[in-house]
Amino acid sequence: MSRQSVAKAHQKIQELAWEPMYHQPVSHYGTDYTFRKAQKKDPLKQVLRSYFPMQEEKDHRVYGASDGAIRGNMFRQVQERWLEWQKLFLSIIPLPEISAARAMPLLFRNVPNPELHNGQAIQMIDEVRHSTIQQNLKRLYMNNYIDPAGFNSSLRNFQNDYCGTIGRQFAEGFITGDAITAASIYLTIVAETAFTNTLFVAMPAEAAANGDYLLPTVFHSVQSDESRHISNGYATLLMALADEGNHQLLERDLRYAWWNNHRVVDAAIGTFIEYGTKDRRKDRESYAEMWRRWIYDDYYRSYLVPLEKYGLVIPHDLIEESWNQIWNKGYVHEVAQFFATGWLANYWRIDPMTDKDFEWFEYKYPGWYDRYGKWWENYNRLSTPNGHHPIVAEDVDYQYPHRCWTCMVPCLVREDMVMAEVNGQWRTYCHEVCRWTDVEAFRPTYQGRQTPNMGQLIGAREWETLYHGWNWADVVKDMGYVRDDGKTMVAQPHLNLDDPKKMWTLDHLRRMGPLQSPNVLLNEMTDEERAAFHAQYIRGGPAGRFAR
Amino acid sequence: MTTATERSVPKPVFTDAEAGAKEFPDSTARRFNYFTPQKRKQTHYEDVTVEVQPDPRHYLAQGWLYGFADGRGGYPLDWTALKAWGSDRPEPERGPGTGGQGYEWPAHGWHEFRDPNEEWELSLYRYNANVVRQVNQNVDAARQAKAFEQWNPNWVRFVQQHIGAWMHVDHGLGLYLFANANRRGPTNMHNTAIAVNSMHLIRAAQDLALYQLTLSEEIEGFDGTAHLETWNADPAWQGVRETAERLTGIDDWGEAVFAANVVFQPLVGELFRSQLVMQAAPRNGDFVTPTIVGAEEYDFAERDLRYTRALYELLTSDREFADHNKRTLNAWLAEWAGTSIGAARAMQPLWSQPDHKPLRFEDALDRVKSRFAGIVTDLGLDIPKELER
């Protein structure tokens, strides 16, 4: 478009920055990190003259594909098992995206490098792009997929569903608390650099295998912006590393951000990829294999480890522990089983697993059937109403889990559950690292050091507590997960839309006992009862089995 | 004979999962059902923006999950002194057995705001891509036509110093006022409109900077760095600079957007762009600069001011807090009109610099005052006496 070179153009726009002479810009966000002014270069040298037409061209491709999908009747080949999980994913993801846009100003006053501010402003508008293009994809699904329920209520349901609440950390963590912890370490260094690989590359590949080529179209277009964001994070990280006083905070924040991303993203994306697919070719990669490639090799070994020489303390132990959770402790399988246990409290349909699925799981994860096979057979058996309750209220040797107060995924790997009394409340945590996050990291002092800008974990963090003592029918009605006949539930534990008798209604739930909050019950126990309960709980599992 | 091994690829499967294939409860419920549209029918813009940023007062049952050091999370409504109806409603208390119901949507008046430009990603990229394409083509055409050779030395000096100085205003406000404010507004509709406003300004700043780069290559002796000295030391610009810096220092996002778009831009921005540059340039043989500055003028006058009017009109006609908002906005008007008029008057020497003079400064100022008064009156606010300084 222009005869001027990008390098010259980028150099010229650096003249736009100016040091205030009369008044300082407002400082809304604090950090405990310290930065010295440094001439750190914006590595991507993006100028808006080329940026806007480039993004417009990317849009042409995305919207052209969208038209093509509709004209070509893509939805005649889409697997319902897959699209149903998109009701959850696409209700979550627009908020993290827009939150990333909102996060950029947290860096302006704290990272004293105007050249980086340009990159951050472009990231801001990239994120507006991502959020709205993803909302648009969901709208297209709602209009063209057989079952719009759950898409049509998406943003209400995302906000009051416990799965949506888990996912919301992947948004609120970007925009609050210590500005660098949130907008740099949690957002760009870990979430974008590590976990968008599974979110925006691995998952779309699975979508394509399930007949949906629109998800890859949109998300690969999104991912093509991420390299810019990764560079923003990298430049800020190098500036932070230049001051030794930041190293302790960097170590803390990498540990928190890594672990929280692992708990949240691996739970959700692992479930979508492993339990949302119909592609059971033995040579297709499992989530564990993808994780090993995208996260362990590409991020950990190629990106993080080389930073060690600059003084960054890498959480090697937590990366190995995350792998241990995925490979040895069945983290993804435990989460998928829990989502299916609680199908009635969600807003999408969950397809039972078949013999073909069982065979694939056993091939990819040897020992899977002994752990989870029986439970999924029960899920299948109990999937249509026939005088019994939903599986959560039936005797299938599944102990309803406690919530992790920090990551809000339940304490599913039973042996790892720990407890702590904080502010007069007994809290449960899925792992020691989540206890550390709440009790030690998110505090105004850390290892004796004042950290007055560190954020807080707030909110009503156990969903079950809100509905303690409620009838399940009232719970589902309160959340609004009911179809337009006023009684049929949005969620179903099967994909059969042919026979109304096979669809669960509020009337079926009315017969169940009340919902009980594990945390309320825990806090009603005496100290001795609580200790005994904990000892029993950590002997339970796998697959949620009661302790023998 | 060789046998080809079958490639392992996913096989297409006919699933018949398209809309209308079956009838069942909700099978025709194909619209987002969690908000009330502004008009009878939901717009595409509303579908992709409304409710993406949650609010504990309606659906956010478990509340915000992460807070700042003071324990506050999300987007507190008191980040501005302005109020929309329902602003004083407390967030619902949650505890054992409370359930998750909030107030009925929209819970408070902030959620009634819709950007009349209906900005989302598709619109903003189309619009800005068109602008940069046109700006580039204009500059290229001028270069090919040797148009810059017509410029007299005084006009060359004017462009290198004063057009160059203005781009600092665009850049500073775009980044440190508007981009900053995109974290502050109470709904996604506010913050998205503000983010788009931010990009208009940053783009306009870069348009001017790259134009300067072209002029450095095309006009012998064009000093591409002269704008720095002008911005840093020219007394005619120090009032503008001080005002721009003060604007970026405003804590209250509602005040910042109002002061910038309702006061500063009409009184200073339009004075410089429409009443000086676009009037003086043609008389001095320059048909290019007005097209670049005009693109920015269109951004403001036709888009940024448009959403700004809609935003503040809602507040000055609010069913609960109209009087409170008018009092607050009138106080801001007085403060920022006084400051902006001071900055505008300090620019007066610029009017005498071109060989061929534009409209007289006082006439130009009267024009922008008149336009400003119209905007203010339309919003139901008082014309501040500071305007007469």
Side-chain angles (χ1 to χ4, degrees):
Chain A
M1 175 171 286
S2 166
R3 294 178 199 152
Q4 288 157 356
S5 75
V6 171
K8 269 170 87 176
H10 187 263
Q11 185 60 36
K12 181 68 186 176
I13 66 169
Q14 301 318 310
E15 293 175 12
L16 291 167
W18 36 280
E19 285 290 324
M21 282 175 18
Y22 305 99
H23 305 278
Q24 290 295 322
V26 65
S27 179
H28 285 122
Y29 315 103
T31 182
D32 299 320
Y33 284 78
T34 50
F35 287 88
R36 291 192 208 103
K37 290 195 174 175
Q39 290 302 307
K40 196 57 69 186
K41 295 292 180 194
D42 170 6
L44 277 162
K45 301 194 187 309
Q46 192 82 59
V47 292
L48 295 180
R49 182 175 61 187
S50 55
Y51 169 80
F52 284 125
M54 174 186 77
Q55 298 298 76
E56 187 192 38
E57 171 60 24
K58 281 157 66 175
D59 272 3
H60 286 326
R61 297 176 190 199
V62 168
Y63 290 99
S66 301
D67 282 354
I70 295 166
R71 291 180 194 144
N73 299 315
M74 184 189 86
F75 289 90
R76 288 182 192 166
Q77 296 177 31
V78 162
Q79 291 291 350
E80 290 183 57
R81 175 187 280 184
W82 176 261
L83 250 287
E84 288 297 321
W85 282 104
Q86 292 308 308
K87 291 176 179 175
L88 172 59
F89 177 63
L90 285 174
S91 67
I92 294 175
I93 197 70
L95 178 65
E97 296 285 13
I98 208 68
S99 301
R102 312 298 180 234
M104 290 301 103
L106 273 67
L107 300 172
F108 292 161
R109 285 281 278 150
N110 291 307
V111 182
N113 185 333
E115 190 160 339
L116 295 188
H117 300 172
N118 279 321
Q120 288 152 4
I122 291 180
Q123 175 165 355
M124 175 189 76
I125 208 68
D126 276 348
E127 306 288 9
V128 172
R129 172 174 194 255
H130 300 175
S131 179
T132 50
I133 207 170
Q134 291 161 6
Q135 270 291 112
N136 187 62
L137 176 65
K138 180 167 59 186
R139 182 176 182 269
L140 187 147
Y141 285 160
M142 175 180 73
N143 284 328
N144 295 283
Y145 169 63
I146 188 167
D147 184 9
F151 284 130
N152 55 16
S153 53
S154 165
L155 290 181
R156 173 183 180 181
N157 293 167
F158 157 62
Q159 295 181 28
N160 63 13
D161 169 77
Y162 71 80
C163 296
T165 306
I166 294 168
R168 214 154 26 90
Q169 296 170 91
F170 199 70
E172 292 188 41
F174 306 163
I175 58 166
T176 46
D178 185 300
I180 300 301
T181 307
S184 186
I185 308 303
Y186 188 92
L187 169 57
T188 51
I189 302 298
V190 179
E192 292 188 303
T193 309
F195 285 89
T196 56
N197 282 326
T198 56
L199 276 164
F200 298 162
V201 182
M203 200 178 69
E206 206 53 45
N210 284 276
D212 173 10
Y213 60 77
L214 280 185
L215 194 89
T217 300
V218 171
F219 280 85
H220 286 179
S221 189
V222 165
Q223 184 70 3
S224 68
D225 296 329
E226 294 295 340
S227 59
R228 255 196 308 281
H229 310 171
I230 290 166
S231 298
N232 279 341
Y234 190 74
T236 307
L237 178 62
L238 291 184
M239 283 184 73
L241 277 167
D243 189 332
E244 282 208 16
N246 294 328
H247 290 195
Q248 183 187 25
L249 300 178
L250 281 168
E251 181 181 3
R252 176 198 68 185
D253 290 345
L254 257 188
R255 292 184 74 78
Y256 142 65
W258 168 270
W259 188 255
N260 189 267
N261 271 269
H262 151 64
R263 284 327 239 186
V264 173
V265 179
D266 287 336
I269 307 302
T271 298
F272 303 158
I273 286 179
E274 301 298 52
Y275 289 83
T277 188
K278 293 289 278 188
D279 181 13
R280 295 306 186 192
R281 288 172 299 128
K282 297 270 174 61
D283 56 355
R284 85 108 169 138
E285 279 187 328
S286 67
Y287 186 72
E289 290 166 315
M290 292 176 189
W291 196 95
R292 196 73 190 176
R293 178 151 71 103
W294 291 109
I295 309 275
Y296 194 90
D297 289 341
D298 274 17
Y299 175 71
Y300 169 50
R301 293 177 57 178
S302 303
Y303 174 89
L304 267 191
V305 168
L307 288 166
E308 209 159 26
K309 62 176 176 286
Y310 298 111
L312 188 66
V313 180
I314 311 286
H316 298 289
D317 57 326
L318 298 191
I319 289 158
E320 297 299 341
E321 175 59 12
S322 303
W323 174 247
N324 183 39
Q325 293 278 322
I326 290 170
W327 187 243
N328 296 316
K329 295 193 173 184
Y331 183 65
V332 169
H333 307 301
E334 299 279 343
V335 171
Q337 182 192 17
F338 175 74
F339 284 166
T341 293
W343 67 262
L344 68 172
N346 294 324
Y347 48 95
W348 59 94
R349 297 176 292 144
I350 301 178
D351 193 18
M353 295 296 111
T354 65
D355 287 348
K356 194 174 172 187
D357 299 313
F358 287 7
E359 188 185 337
W360 186 88
F361 278 118
E362 189 61 29
Y363 178 77
K364 289 292 185 181
Y365 298 97
W368 180 92
Y369 183 81
D370 282 348
R371 289 178 167 196
Y372 305 103
K374 180 76 178 165
W375 187 90
W376 279 102
E377 285 167 358
N378 279 320
Y379 180 85
N380 201 355
R381 176 175 62 81
L382 298 168
S383 65
T384 52
N386 189 19
H388 55 77
H389 296 306
I391 192 168
V392 69
E394 289 290 333
D395 179 11
V396 290
D397 195 15
Y398 187 82
Q399 183 177 15
Y400 193 87
H402 277 251
R403 281 277 151 192
C404 176
W405 203 85
T406 298
C407 74
M408 294 179 287
V409 180
C411 309
L412 297 169
V413 178
R414 312 286 161 140
E415 66 195 90
D416 292 338
M417 193 266 262
V418 292
M419 303 192 302
E421 188 178 15
V422 183
N423 301 337
Q425 178 197 20
W426 278 96
R427 297 173 177 175
T428 50
Y429 303 94
C430 68
H431 194 277
E432 164 57 22
V433 184
C434 275
R435 185 207 64 79
W436 167 86
T437 302
D438 177 32
V439 178
E440 298 180 41
F442 272 77
R443 298 286 150 183
T445 56
Y446 178 67
Q447 296 179 345
R449 170 186 183 151
Q450 297 295 306
T451 51
N453 289 295
M454 191 59 177
Q456 293 186 25
L457 305 183
I458 58 174
R461 299 179 78 89
E462 312 101 9
W463 170 81
E464 291 84 352
T465 296
L466 267 53
Y467 292 105
H468 182 65
W470 284 45
N471 180 275
W472 271 99
D474 295 327
V475 173
V476 171
K477 200 171 167 187
D478 190 65
M479 294 192 296
Y481 304 171
V482 185
R483 292 171 186 258
D484 59 9
D485 63 351
K487 63 174 187 173
T488 304
M489 297 166 63
V490 173
Q492 299 290 329
H494 59 75
L495 299 179
N496 190 334
L497 295 168
D498 291 320
D499 183 355
K501 291 196 181 67
K502 291 186 174 170
M503 295 183 81
W504 292 80
T505 67
L506 294 180
D507 296 337
H508 295 115
L509 304 193
R510 193 68 64 191
R511 301 189 297 249
M512 296 169 69
L515 191 158
Q516 300 277 284
S517 161
N519 187 266
V520 170
L521 300 179
L522 186 77
N523 279 278
E524 288 172 355
M525 293 176 187
T526 65
D527 289 348
E528 293 73 24
E529 287 170 338
R530 194 175 304 110
F533 170 79
H534 181 249
Q536 178 267 345
Y537 190 91
I538 60 174
R539 285 189 293 108
R545 288 173 192 140
F546 287 92
R548 302 275 179 246
Chain B
M1 191 175 124
T2 55
T3 52
T5 323
E6 191 183 357
R7 284 203 326 124
S8 172
V9 288
K11 303 280 191 300
V13 181
F14 178 73
T15 59
D16 203 14
E18 69 179 341
K22 290 172 186 164
E23 281 185 28
F24 51 88
D26 252 21
S27 61
T28 57
R30 298 185 186 276
R31 67 172 190 86
F32 292 136
N33 59 22
Y34 44 81
F35 70 92
T36 310
Q38 187 181 43
K39 296 179 181 164
R40 194 175 58 80
K41 198 163 178 273
Q42 284 162 302
T43 64
H44 203 146
Y45 153 74
E46 286 178 308
D47 278 354
V48 295
T49 53
V50 175
E51 206 55 26
V52 172
Q53 180 177 308
D55 189 332
R57 290 171 187 78
H58 28 88
Y59 306 131
L60 203 61
Q62 294 178 249
W64 296 109
L65 305 170
Y66 282 74
F68 288 103
D70 64 0
R72 307 183 79 196
Y75 299 82
L77 298 185
D78 62 6
W79 277 357
T80 177
L82 300 170
K83 290 183 174 188
W85 65 263
S87 287
D88 289 344
R89 286 173 148 181
E91 293 180 14
E93 292 280 333
R94 305 295 187 200
T98 58
Q101 285 293 316
Y103 304 107
E104 191 178 334
W105 202 93
H108 55 73
W110 288 109
H111 291 279
E112 292 176 346
F113 170 66
R114 298 290 184 278
D115 175 2
N117 302 316
E118 305 202 331
E119 292 282 19
W120 62 295
E121 71 104 18
L122 196 64
S123 64
L124 84 91
Y125 286 112
R126 277 183 185 166
Y127 175 80
N128 285 285
N130 280 339
V131 172
V132 295
R133 255 194 300 272
Q134 190 63 58
V135 164
N136 277 335
Q137 286 165 0
N138 294 349
V139 174
D140 276 352
R143 180 161 44 192
Q144 285 162 19
K146 308 285 182 201
F148 305 117
E149 291 175 7
Q150 302 175 47
W151 293 14
N152 60 57
N154 255 350
W155 185 251
V156 169
R157 216 169 7 256
F158 184 93
V159 171
Q160 73 188 13
Q161 292 175 347
H162 303 305
I163 305 289
W166 182 259
M167 65 193 186
H168 294 284
V169 179
D170 291 335
H171 181 77
L173 296 184
L175 207 46
Y176 301 114
L177 190 153
F178 285 99
N180 186 59
N182 111 104
R183 170 68 185 88
R184 311 295 289 176
T187 79
N188 196 39
M189 291 77 77
H190 291 87
N191 290 328
T192 299
I194 290 168
V196 172
N197 191 159
S198 155
M199 294 315 289
H200 287 160
L201 286 165
I202 297 172
R203 194 217 70 233
Q206 294 192 6
D207 288 345
L208 291 174
L210 298 180
Y211 180 46
Q212 290 251 324
L213 185 58
T214 298
L215 296 178
S216 303
E217 293 164 350
E218 295 293 318
I219 300 175
E220 198 177 338
F222 186 91
D223 181 357
T225 60
H227 63 94
L228 295 171
E229 178 64 16
T230 307
W231 181 243
N232 288 332
D234 186 337
W237 280 97
Q238 297 316 296
V240 175
R241 178 167 181 158
E242 182 172 2
T243 307
E245 290 187 6
R246 272 190 68 197
L247 285 165
T248 65
I250 299 172
D251 179 76
D252 180 314
W253 73 266
E255 181 182 358
V257 172
F258 180 79
N261 280 355
V262 175
V263 188
F264 178 79
Q265 285 281 21
L267 288 178
V268 180
E270 292 192 335
L271 178 72
F272 178 73
R273 292 188 300 259
S274 283
Q275 304 302 327
L276 174 59
V277 177
M278 292 205 272
Q279 305 291 332
R283 300 174 192 196
N284 287 278
D286 177 4
F287 65 82
V288 192
T289 306
T291 68
I292 301 162
V293 171
E296 180 185 354
E297 197 67 299
Y298 190 90
D299 291 346
F300 172 69
E302 299 300 322
R303 296 184 88 84
D304 297 333
L305 181 60
R306 193 161 172 239
Y307 90 78
T308 304
R309 281 177 192 263
L311 199 169
Y312 291 96
E313 268 166 10
L314 263 184
L315 297 167
T316 54
S317 59
D318 185 84
R319 70 187 196 216
E320 188 179 350
F321 292 113
D323 290 342
H324 163 86
N325 290 333
K326 284 180 183 173
R327 272 195 307 277
T328 308
L329 291 166
N330 278 325
W332 290 342
L333 269 182
E335 181 181 352
W336 289 104
T339 308
S340 297
I341 287 290
R345 287 205 173 278
M347 294 172 86
Q348 185 167 2
L350 271 54
W351 265 250
S352 59
Q353 293 193 13
D355 288 348
H356 302 282
K357 303 289 182 283
L359 197 66
R360 280 185 344 114
F361 174 79
E362 287 300 335
D363 293 340
L365 189 62
D366 282 348
R367 282 191 184 182
V368 295
K369 280 181 180 177
S370 169
R371 170 159 158 83
F372 167 76
I375 296 168
V376 167
T377 309
D378 287 350
L379 287 173
L381 300 173
D382 303 333
I383 299 169
K385 63 179 186 327
E386 287 75 5
L387 197 61
E388 298 313 317
R389 280 183 188 170

